[in-house]
Amino acid sequence: MKTIPKPAQKYLKYLVFLGLSIAIAGLVAGFVSEKWSALPISLLVVGSLLMLVGLVFYLPQLQVVLQQRSTQVGTDAIVATLSVIIILGLINFLAVRYPSRIDLTETQLFTLSPQTQKIIGNLPQPLKVLVFDATPDPADKELLDNYRRQGDNFQYEFVDPQIKLGMVEKFGVDSAREVHLEYDERLQRLQTLSEQESLSEVSLSNGIERIIRQEQPQIYFLQGHGELSPDNSGENGLSSAESSLENAGYRVETLNLADRAEFPQDAAAIIVPAPQQELLEREVELLQDYLDEGGSLLLMFEPRTESGLEPLLEEWGVRRDSRLIIDGSIANSSLATVLVNNYGLHPITADFENGNSIYLLSEPLEVEEVEGIQATSLLRTSEQSWAESDLELEEFEFNPGSDIQGPLTIGYALNRQQTEESEDRDKLEELDSDEEESPTSEESESDSDEEESPASEESDSDSDEDESESKQDEKESRLVVFGNSRFATDGWFKQQLNGDVFLNSVKWLANTDDTSLSIRPKELKNRRLNLTVGQAGMIFWLAVFIVPAFGFAIAGWTWWRRR
């Protein structure tokens, strides 16, 4: 039997490395081409055979190498390195397979608000956002991906306006970087992106809310009695409240009842923002008629003002207290600023949890039980608050004899069911009272009894049908009362949850979808740090020279001691 010469054995052991290279080439060719044709398979087979032949001649030397201490240390290092790489790979695999996001910003800027999550999660039909931009901005794409994670009916697409000319014509695109919405065959232009105006959750959620609402509810602000005005953009104006309502898809107008014979029939809700003079008796009657016919009213009062609305409040069981609420739980209680983080169980405040809202100069409200009216406390002050009766004091102090200990209520939401059946009953009662005054009423009743015919049975059946239909046509009158008005002004609207309290109240009154009553997106705040020239120079010298020089000095001193 012939043996292979030793010089040949010396070189045959290198077939291990040659076979390994050929096998790797076969694997790469197969995975890259995603086709396991003859070439990659042949490379794998040839490489494997060469490795086997090489191992036969390399094995004795390999046993010697493995028994060396340096080999054992090197093997441990390789195993440890491979273990770390495998662990990192598994972590990355799990992170991609089960993504989880943590928003560490102060106001949770990169987390969609509960309102947005509700709107997207409850979309009844597919809604599509089209961004006509050939080079998508990563931030815009990240925001849209975040929306898509909230519901399957949300879709988006970046469209190259130079290629898809048909879509450009369909949406009427005038310039690049326009954003459009498409929902239930309705199209809406949202905005044009620029360096100054990026795609934000505020604009996108408001646009979605507008397009999914088929009609624009009409909101009126009552004027003519010194009320706060939506046309005023000062600290005591309501321009922020007005613009927020318009962004949410409402039509907003002012209203003066003094020159009207009846209330506006298209009113989804009427807001009475802190009247400073009493309303005329006729105006109060119009507001009462409006409520009696299923209307919705938002009343906001300044402490110790006469509004003339007492008859209306008494009908609903609401009583205003002339004392001023002082909050002892916060440092600036002398300013009568009330911090509220206790809310009632109501759609208006359902998602507020323990969030804060702030109220300057508030009066407490009380509600007496009235049959047919359901009242819910919305805003409750802390136990350290009280209703102060003596406003002449330099420092407020609770007096058990004249003050009221908290917690106190600043806002109530009330509703009353109004059915067609009850309206008909009221009309019949009015007719009966008129007939009793008429001497011929009894005769007519007897005649009607005598003339009762089989047709009356048909009328009875018709009345049963009408009764069932009337039960379906229930109307609900809604009333929200706040013993504070400044929380909705421009100076306080964006403080904490103040804007959400106002907007949720109007939305509930307008009887729109309750699923959109929540906390709205926060806008990015300007967090820039403005430095003087001296401060900037100090930071430069510290970072570039002083701190590195100090480190070198410590290192040199240490070396000098150990040398």
Side-chain angles (χ1 to χ4, degrees):
M1 181 177 179
K2 293 183 178 180
T3 58
I4 300 175
K6 286 188 176 179
Q9 295 180 12
K10 179 180 178 182
Y11 295 104
L12 285 175
K13 65 183 181 182
Y14 293 109
L15 291 176
V16 174
F17 304 105
L18 178 61
L20 180 63
S21 302
I22 294 174
I24 292 175
L27 288 173
V28 171
F31 282 113
V32 170
S33 64
E34 298 181 352
K35 293 181 180 178
W36 292 96
S37 58
L39 178 61
I41 294 176
S42 299
L43 290 173
L44 275 174
V45 172
V46 171
S48 301
L49 291 175
L50 289 176
M51 281 192 295
L52 289 174
V53 173
L55 281 174
V56 172
F57 295 97
Y58 189 68
L59 197 57
Q61 185 179 352
L62 183 62
Q63 292 176 345
V64 176
V65 172
L66 291 177
Q67 291 174 356
Q68 295 178 356
R69 177 178 174 77
S70 59
T71 304
Q72 295 176 355
V73 174
T75 305
D76 292 342
I78 293 173
V79 171
T81 304
L82 290 176
S83 300
V84 171
I85 293 174
I86 292 172
I87 291 173
L88 291 176
L90 287 174
I91 292 174
N92 278 275
F93 171 77
L94 293 174
V96 173
R97 187 71 179 272
Y98 306 101
S100 179
R101 297 159 54 87
I102 302 176
D103 189 353
L104 301 178
T105 58
E106 177 187 0
T107 55
Q108 299 293 294
L109 279 174
F110 301 102
T111 302
L112 296 181
S113 68
Q115 182 196 28
T116 298
Q117 295 178 25
K118 281 189 175 181
I119 292 174
I120 302 303
N122 292 287
L123 282 175
Q125 299 181 42
L127 181 143
K128 193 168 188 178
V129 179
L130 296 108
V131 184
F132 289 87
D133 191 354
T135 55
D137 189 315
D140 297 338
K141 188 174 183 304
E142 175 65 24
L143 178 64
L144 293 169
D145 282 335
N146 206 355
Y147 269 76
R148 188 163 58 183
R149 283 190 283 268
Q150 308 304 321
D152 296 334
N153 278 335
F154 182 88
Q155 304 167 4
Y156 76 88
E157 180 181 356
F158 285 92
V159 181
D160 188 343
Q162 301 297 329
I163 297 177
K164 297 189 176 181
L165 300 178
M167 295 189 68
V168 171
E169 183 178 358
K170 175 184 176 183
F171 286 87
V173 178
D174 297 324
S175 61
R177 306 200 70 190
E178 284 190 7
V179 182
H180 291 255
L181 303 179
E182 182 179 19
Y183 178 78
D184 192 21
E185 299 183 352
R186 295 197 292 272
L187 308 179
Q188 175 185 308
R189 180 187 174 280
L190 184 64
Q191 65 178 117
T192 301
L193 302 178
S194 63
E195 294 183 358
Q196 294 76 27
E197 186 179 1
S198 60
L199 189 63
S200 67
E201 185 187 355
V202 176
S203 61
L204 187 54
S205 294
N206 284 333
I208 293 173
E209 200 172 1
R210 284 196 299 272
I211 197 172
I212 61 177
R213 185 176 295 139
Q214 295 183 355
E215 299 178 354
Q216 282 190 300
Q218 177 70 58
I219 307 297
Y220 286 102
F221 281 85
L222 187 67
Q223 299 289 283
H225 317 86
E227 292 92 344
L228 301 173
S229 173
D231 298 329
N232 184 0
S233 58
E235 185 176 354
N236 294 323
L238 296 174
S239 61
S240 295
E242 179 191 33
S243 60
S244 296
L245 287 173
E246 290 176 340
N247 289 335
Y250 293 89
R251 289 182 291 122
V252 180
E253 293 182 18
T254 58
L255 171 68
N256 194 332
L257 285 175
D259 55 1
R260 300 180 69 102
E262 59 180 10
F263 60 83
Q265 299 295 324
D266 62 344
I270 297 177
I271 301 173
V272 184
Q276 301 300 310
Q277 295 95 38
E278 293 189 12
L279 276 69
L280 300 175
E281 184 178 351
R282 176 58 184 162
E283 293 175 304
V284 177
E285 290 176 356
L286 285 177
L287 291 177
Q288 286 179 314
D289 293 342
Y290 171 64
L291 280 176
D292 291 341
E293 295 190 15
S296 298
L297 198 60
L298 172 58
L299 304 178
M300 300 189 293
F301 295 108
E302 284 283 308
R304 298 194 169 193
T305 55
E306 298 294 336
S307 64
L309 290 165
E310 285 71 22
L312 185 149
L313 294 174
E314 184 179 358
E315 179 183 339
W316 284 74
V318 181
R319 188 178 69 83
R320 299 173 58 195
D321 194 297
S322 60
R323 281 165 278 210
L324 184 69
I325 299 179
I326 305 297
D327 192 347
S329 63
I330 54 179
N332 57 343
S333 59
S334 60
L335 297 178
T337 303
V338 179
L339 182 69
V340 172
N341 51 27
N342 184 11
Y343 304 95
L345 297 176
H346 194 272
I348 294 176
T349 54
D351 292 325
F352 287 2
E353 297 182 349
N354 295 324
N356 296 323
S357 53
I358 305 173
Y359 305 87
L360 174 64
L361 299 177
S362 306
E363 64 179 17
L365 301 174
E366 294 181 1
V367 166
E368 297 177 355
E369 185 175 353
V370 176
E371 184 180 0
I373 294 178
Q374 181 179 0
T376 304
S377 171
L378 293 179
L379 312 173
R380 298 281 289 173
T381 63
S382 67
E383 295 182 353
Q384 292 76 32
S385 63
W386 71 89
E388 177 64 49
S389 59
D390 189 357
L391 303 183
E392 302 298 329
L393 296 174
E394 294 183 0
E395 293 186 2
F396 296 124
E397 184 179 9
F398 177 69
N399 187 340
S402 56
D403 300 338
I404 304 176
Q405 181 64 54
L408 305 164
T409 299
I410 299 177
Y412 274 102
L414 307 98
N415 60 295
R416 179 177 62 191
Q417 293 295 333
Q418 186 80 13
T419 64
E420 297 288 346
E421 184 181 7
S422 61
E423 290 179 359
D424 294 341
R425 186 170 57 249
D426 293 341
K427 291 178 181 178
L428 287 174
E429 289 177 357
E430 292 178 1
L431 289 174
D432 289 342
S433 61
D434 294 340
E435 289 175 354
E436 287 175 359
E437 294 176 359
S438 171
T440 58
S441 60
E442 295 181 358
E443 296 177 2
S444 61
E445 287 180 0
S446 60
D447 293 342
S448 62
D449 292 338
E450 292 175 357
E451 294 174 357
E452 187 172 0
S453 61
S456 61
E457 296 179 359
E458 296 179 2
S459 62
D460 290 340
S461 62
D462 293 339
S463 62
D464 293 339
E465 294 177 359
D466 295 339
E467 185 178 355
S468 61
E469 291 178 358
S470 65
K471 288 180 180 177
Q472 298 175 354
D473 296 333
E474 292 182 348
K475 295 181 181 178
E476 186 179 68
S477 304
R478 295 183 172 184
L479 175 67
V480 173
V481 186
F482 290 113
N484 182 284
S485 61
R486 302 199 182 198
F487 78 98
T489 59
D490 293 352
W492 295 85
F493 189 80
K494 294 184 178 179
Q495 296 289 330
Q496 305 296 323
L497 296 176
N498 286 18
D500 297 306
V501 172
F502 176 81
L503 294 175
N504 281 3
S505 299
V506 175
K507 284 191 173 184
W508 180 72
L509 289 169
N511 203 16
T512 53
D513 188 4
D514 286 349
T515 57
S516 63
L517 299 178
S518 192
I519 300 174
R520 277 148 196 86
K522 303 297 180 185
E523 294 187 62
L524 184 64
K525 293 182 179 179
N526 187 355
R527 296 284 188 185
R528 292 182 181 177
L529 179 63
N530 296 318
L531 300 176
T532 63
V533 176
Q535 292 171 334
M538 178 63 72
I539 292 175
F540 172 79
W541 283 102
L542 282 172
V544 177
F545 294 103
I546 297 177
V547 173
F550 183 74
F552 281 119
I554 295 293
W557 179 71
T558 304
W559 171 81
W560 179 260
R561 291 196 57 186
R562 293 182 176 180
R563 69 187 174 84

